[in-house]
Amino acid sequence: MTLPDQSARDTIANDLDATLFVEAAAGTGKTTELVNRMVALVASGGAELEHMVAVTFTEAAAGELKLQLREKIEEARRD
């Protein structure tokens, strides 16, 4: 099944040289896509985690992003 916004998701995942602004409704996967993008940038050598900034609108969203990023970084290190 292809999602209606699949091309946008593909851009987020693969266009690592672009600066992007992602706007979508709650629960659509923004945090997951952002975390995957950040991990991909670090893995590709395109950025260092210490030099990244992610902006969210609530402390809850920031906490969720931090937890997901930590989990994905640890998962990538194990692999």
Side-chain angles (χ1 to χ4, degrees), residues 16 34-52 69 72-74 76-77:
L16 300 179
L34 178 58
V35 166
N36 289 339
R37 182 178 175 85
M38 293 172 78
V39 172
L41 279 163
V42 171
S44 72
E48 295 180 17
L49 196 54
E50 299 85 26
H51 298 132
M52 289 185 180
L69 182 59
K72 286 287 189 177
I73 292 288
E74 289 302 319
R77 284 183 180 170

Side-chain angles (χ1 to χ4, degrees), residues 47-77:
E48 295 180 17
L49 196 54
E50 299 85 26
H51 298 132
M52 289 185 180
V53 174
V55 178
T56 64
F57 290 99
T58 67
E59 288 186 28
E64 179 63 26
L65 190 144
K66 182 178 175 181
L67 289 174
Q68 282 190 36
L69 182 59
R70 183 176 292 146
E71 288 174 5
K72 286 287 189 177
I73 292 288
E74 289 302 319
E75 183 180 301
R77 284 183 180 170

Side-chain angles (χ1 to χ4, degrees), residues 15-36:
D15 194 356
L16 300 179
D17 292 328
T19 299
L20 302 175
F21 177 84
V22 176
E23 180 181 22
T28 57
K30 292 179 303 294
T31 300
T32 298
E33 295 295 340
L34 178 58
V35 166
N36 289 339

